[in-house]
């Protein structure tokens, strides 16, 4: 479910591709549908660098290999932050040809480091332009979703306590010791939630808010899985805390088998909009193949596969979503935002300040 399922899917995909189960087509199929005019015909291999939560249906990946004649392998160095760090550290000897999974909290860092080759694709769905990382086309938006506080409805009903609704509510004494979050230095959702508070209270005003959360007993863990499955009471019912930082799509995964209402929901006034991108890696000799893979990620079939595989929203607004999403996984109408260039300039400063305040 959510990030845990995505990791398992990635391992399965990597095993398939590394085992050589690709179907190789004719050489002409490797030519790009669109790219730079001087791009050469793509060779038969393509290496995709991703975060460790990437997952797509195996039949779609097999069809891509068959249609293009490409043998695709995956390299997953870690989560979104680790991914960008590794791209920068290996700039002079790239890990692969194309990257997927750079999100808007790290996009400016990747762009400024010069690890990407801009690609303007005609495959970008209408309406997805709003998620562009820059004007040069350095990164192509693929999916998006909201990181929000999730609530265990049943816990609050049993306790006879009204649920919180806003970020400010979480600092009230009746919610003391009820919230678990993830460390922004080690967790992508944790960083997104920190950015939500920056967007809500300002680049120089969020610190006081986190001091109030600390004083109100917020618990910090390193990773999403521990927060959601160990400390949160709403998923497997074992944790003591009924509030957790997760995704707006998480409640859709909690719908009981056979239907019904999930015991969890997302507090849509606490959200940060996360966008995930793909990009051509600078220095690749497989530019045409890398562009082909990005176009594949934007195809209607892959866009429709993303919700079920990665629990993110496709950037194509025309894609039909799973039935449960309309009711149980709505996006926030007014998510908090922070300009990518501001994130790039101050992200590390904010993480250090957060650590000083919350961890000590």
């Amino acid at each position: 479910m959510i990030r845990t399922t995505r990791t398992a899917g990635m391992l399965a995909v990597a095993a398939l591709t590394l085992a050589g189960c690709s179907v190789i087509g004719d050489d002409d199929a490797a030519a790009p549908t669109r790219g730079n005019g001087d791009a050469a015909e793509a060779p038969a291999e393509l290496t995709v660098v991703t975060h460790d939560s990437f997952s797509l249906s195996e039949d779609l990946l097999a069809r891509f290999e068959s249609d293009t004649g490409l043998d695709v392998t995956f390299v997953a160095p870690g989560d979104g932050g680790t991914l960008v760090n590794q791209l920068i550290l290996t700039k002079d000897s790239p890990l692969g040809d194309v990257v997927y999974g750079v999100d808007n909290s790290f996009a400016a860092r990747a762009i400024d480091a010069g690890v990407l080759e801009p690609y303007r694709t005609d495959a970008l769905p209408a309406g997805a332009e709003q998620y562009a990382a820059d004007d040069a086309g350095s990164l192509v938006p693929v999916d998006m979703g909201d990181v929000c506080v999730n609530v265990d409805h049943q816990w609050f009903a049993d306790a006879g306590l009204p649920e919180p609704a806003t970020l400010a509510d979480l600092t009230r004494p009746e919610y003391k010791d009820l919230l678990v979050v993830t460390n922004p230095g080690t967790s992508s959702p944790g960083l997104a939630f920190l950015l939500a508070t920056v967007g809500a209270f300002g680049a120089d005003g969020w610190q006081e808010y986190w001091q109030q959360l600390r004083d109100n007993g917020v618990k910090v863990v390193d990773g999403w899985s521990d927060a959601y499955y160990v400390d949160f009471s709403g998923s497997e019912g074992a944790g003591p805390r009924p509030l957790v930082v997760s995704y707006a799509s998480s409640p859709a995964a909690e719908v009981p088998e056979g239907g019904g209402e999930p015991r969890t929901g997302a507090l849509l006034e606490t959200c940060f909009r996360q966008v995930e991108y793909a990009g051509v890696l600078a220095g690749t000799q497989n530019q045409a193949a890398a562009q082909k893979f990005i176009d594949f990620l934007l195809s209607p079939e892959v866009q429709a596969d993303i919700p079920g595989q990665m629990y993110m929203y496709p950037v194509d607004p025309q894609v039909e979503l799973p039935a449960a999403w309309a009711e149980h996984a709505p996006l926030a109408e007014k998510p908090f935002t922070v300009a990518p260039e501001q994130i790039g300039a101050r992200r590390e400063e904010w993480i250090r300040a957060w650590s000083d305040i919350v961890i000590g």
Side-chain angles (χ1 to χ4, degrees):
M1 293 166 61
I2 324 297
R3 295 282 170 176
T4 301
T5 296
R6 294 171 67 180
T7 302
M10 176 59 211
L11 294 174
V13 169
L16 276 171
T17 52
L18 291 173
C21 63
S22 309
V23 178
I24 305 299
D26 61 63
D27 291 340
D28 292 339
T33 55
R34 182 180 185 270
N36 296 334
D38 58 354
E41 181 178 332
E45 295 84 22
L46 177 71
T47 300
V48 180
V49 188
T50 80
H51 55 47
D52 56 10
S53 297
F54 174 80
S55 178
L56 285 179
S57 294
E58 295 171 9
D59 61 334
L60 287 177
L61 289 165
R63 190 185 314 164
F64 173 76
E65 291 182 309
S66 178
D67 289 347
T68 61
L70 293 167
D71 184 5
V72 182
T73 58
F74 293 85
V75 175
D79 66 11
T82 301
L83 171 64
V84 173
N85 288 339
Q86 289 300 308
L87 293 180
I88 294 171
L89 290 173
T90 60
K91 176 182 176 181
D92 295 332
S93 182
L95 293 173
D97 307 300
V98 61
V99 60
Y100 162 81
V102 177
D103 69 30
N104 50 329
S105 62
F106 288 99
R109 185 180 182 202
I111 293 169
D112 292 344
V115 300
L116 300 161
E117 180 72 30
Y119 173 48
R120 295 185 178 277
T121 173
D122 289 335
L124 190 68
E129 302 88 353
Q130 63 180 305
Y131 304 117
D134 64 6
D135 294 332
S138 301
L139 287 165
V140 179
V142 174
D143 58 58
M144 55 89 179
D146 288 339
V147 173
C148 317
V149 174
N150 278 210
V151 57
D152 178 357
H153 295 310
Q154 188 63 53
W155 189 97
F156 280 93
D158 292 345
L161 182 66
E163 296 178 2
T166 67
L167 290 172
D169 287 346
L170 300 173
T171 66
R172 291 164 54 182
E174 58 264 44
Y175 304 119
K176 185 176 178 64
D177 298 331
L178 300 186
L179 173 65
V180 57
V181 305
T182 46
N183 189 322
T186 58
S187 164
S188 176
L191 178 56
F193 185 63
L194 170 58
L195 293 174
T197 66
V198 172
F201 302 106
D204 298 307
W206 61 268
Q207 298 92 334
E208 182 180 353
Y209 175 75
W210 276 97
Q211 289 172 348
Q212 294 172 348
L213 281 185
R214 179 200 62 193
D215 294 342
N216 211 37
V218 66
K219 181 175 182 179
V220 178
V221 297
D222 284 342
W224 174 87
S225 294
D226 281 344
Y228 196 81
Y229 289 114
V230 177
D231 290 290
F232 183 44
S233 62
S235 177
E236 297 179 350
R241 296 193 175 228
L243 298 167
V244 65
V245 169
S246 192
Y247 292 82
S249 56
S250 298
E254 302 296 344
V255 175
E257 188 174 349
E261 294 293 317
R263 65 179 286 166
T264 69
L267 304 182
L268 297 181
E269 296 182 50
T270 68
C271 305
F272 178 81
R273 179 76 33 95
Q274 189 179 56
V275 182
E276 292 186 311
Y277 299 94
V280 179
L281 290 177
T284 177
Q285 300 302 306
N286 298 2
Q287 185 184 76
Q291 293 170 350
K292 192 78 171 176
F293 188 78
I294 292 175
D295 290 350
F296 165 68
L297 293 177
L298 296 173
S299 66
E301 296 80 8
V302 172
Q303 288 284 291
D305 195 50
I306 285 172
Q309 291 292 322
M310 296 194 279
Y311 271 81
M312 297 290 279
Y313 272 78
V315 293
D316 186 347
Q318 302 304 313
V319 168
E320 184 176 356
L321 297 170
W325 281 49
E327 185 174 0
H328 303 301
L331 289 168
E333 292 185 3
K334 295 181 179 180
F336 295 109
T337 60
V338 181
E341 58 270 18
Q342 191 178 20
I343 297 173
R346 303 191 67 178
R347 178 187 54 253
E348 299 305 319
E349 169 196 341
W350 290 337
I351 292 174
R352 286 194 299 270
W354 178 92
S355 183
D356 290 341
I357 293 166
V358 181
I359 304 299

